[in-house]
Amino acid sequence: MSTFVLIIFSIITVLQLTSFLVFRSYLKRKGLLNKFFWKFISIFPFVFFNLPYLYLIFYRNNFSLLPGWVFDSYILPFYVFQGAIIFIGLYLLILKVIKAPFSLSLFLLKKIGSFRNWYNKITSKKQIIKYNAGRRKFITGTTMAVSGYAFFASGMGVIKRNKYEITKVDIAIPDLPIEMKGTTFILASDFHSGPYMPEEMMKEYTDAINSLQGDYIILPGDFTNSNIKEVVPFAKAFRDLKAKKGIYGTLGNHDYFSDPNYIAEYIFNETPIKLLRNSAEILNINGKPLCLLGMEDTRESGVRFTNELQAYMDKTLLTAQNVTAENGFEYGSIPKIMIYHKPYFMDKMSDANMDLVLSGHTHGGQVVLFDAMGVNLSLASTVSPFISGFYKHKNSQLYVSRGIGMVGLPMRLNCPPEITKITLV
């Protein structure tokens, strides 16, 4: 088991334990814990909805071994429970962190006899007793409301996880030749072929992408989730992709979780997708050249621009310069679009004079607790300011797709899957 998986399991365990202990404490305070029914209710969900973890450990998310009715009636509710408990656990943990300094200070002060006597005298007054009872009632009510919302939101996130949106956006590239204006790029990312993205669903996405009739289709990686076998249903689903002028992609970090060369070769042989593996190509758009670059991600990079990524970028830029010269154009004077899986390294992309970078990876946050007024509250927002949609950075522009697939939990909250139609203007 990888360090990352152990960390995730540890976090989930802490959040579940927090929720369990708080729930048990509430039942005890109400005098219900000595009754068999409530004792059973306090334990059963935490046992019943954690048993699937044993399956996940031994079969690595391969739910194809299970009958469909088992997945729908047990595994999906398992994920709803996990999503809700994670949210509730975070809420309770935050409350405890806020309360901790006051509780600790009070505990230490009560070691002083004179303060303890004064405190007991004050808290025995009727108005204080009434205030404390009201405060506890308010906190309990708030916690129940948060818990109800958590289960409702998790359920809706699972039910609507594949309700995709088609986003249309115009992007202006400075000094773009008039012959190129109106050119369309269909952007779709992060398919994650695997346990949460079956072949049948991917075929629906193929039809949706084709229906947009783009000049080019751009796919910035994560075709598979973690296993080389996952490339087979991906290829079957997307072998019918159609674009007027070309289909291009790059490998993402999840494509490196197994065997990137095998995945790349299979996609090359079985689909119309041309992978740019740290390389570039000159597109002839109505007689005018555009340099399309494709840089791969790695498994280990995370948010760090590693030496390996630097080598990838150097190779990509060198290839772009060479292919431009071979076609008789000046590299610095033609538009340049980079396909790269992660949006994190825009400083590097801007320094390399990319006019536009097309990325994915973030899933738009996937589970977004709040998204309004330019604020995206999700795990993705703790890593990078580039989460979803259009950005300008220095002399470059960036579009980050919310992607199509899912990781971790098969749910999306306030963050539907996205297919984007970009028109150059």
Side-chain angles (χ1 to χ4, degrees), residues 54 64 73-74 83 105 121 160 165 188 208 231 237 292 342 369 411:
L54 297 175
S64 63
S73 62
Y74 185 31
S105 299
K121 183 179 179 181
K160 301 176 73 172
E165 291 182 352
V231 73
L292 185 67
K342 286 187 185 132
L369 303 181
M411 69 171 61

Side-chain angles (χ1 to χ4, degrees), residues 206-332:
T206 296
D207 293 339
I209 293 170
N210 287 345
S211 71
L212 295 175
Q213 298 182 323
D215 294 313
Y216 298 94
I217 295 174
I218 303 296
L219 312 172
D222 277 4
F223 304 108
T224 59
N225 193 58
S226 60
N227 192 309
I228 58 173
K229 294 179 181 178
E230 294 162 346
V231 73
V232 177
F234 172 85
K236 288 181 179 178
F238 289 100
R239 63 188 173 193
D240 294 324
L241 272 181
K242 294 179 177 64
K244 295 176 184 177
K245 298 182 179 180
I247 305 172
Y248 296 90
T250 56
L251 297 184
N253 60 311
H254 274 260
D255 300 314
Y256 269 75
F257 279 17
S258 50
D259 186 338
N261 292 325
Y262 178 89
I263 289 170
E265 184 176 357
Y266 200 96
I267 290 174
F268 174 79
N269 290 328
E270 302 295 331
T271 76
I273 302 168
K274 182 172 185 178
L275 292 178
L276 298 177
R277 305 199 65 188
N278 307 314
S279 60
E281 186 166 312
I282 298 296
L283 305 183
N284 185 324
I285 303 177
N286 298 323
K288 294 293 182 178
L290 182 147
C291 186
L292 185 67
L293 302 87
M295 174 178 157
E296 293 188 359
D297 197 17
T298 66
R299 177 173 182 166
E300 295 82 11
S301 65
V303 297
R304 297 176 298 109
F305 197 77
T306 62
N307 291 334
E308 187 176 11
L309 282 180
Q310 184 64 64
Y312 282 3
M313 190 167 194
D314 290 343
K315 181 182 177 183
T316 304
L317 295 177
L318 180 60
T319 304
Q321 292 163 9
N322 289 340
V323 74
T324 303
E326 289 169 2
N327 283 272
F329 302 111
E330 184 181 346
Y331 179 73

Side-chain angles (χ1 to χ4, degrees), residues 171-174 346 354-357 390-392 396-398:
I171 295 181
I173 291 179
M346 277 304 293
M354 294 298 114
D355 293 292
L356 177 62
V357 180
F390 177 76
Y391 300 88
K392 286 187 177 181
S396 297
Q397 299 177 96
L398 165 70

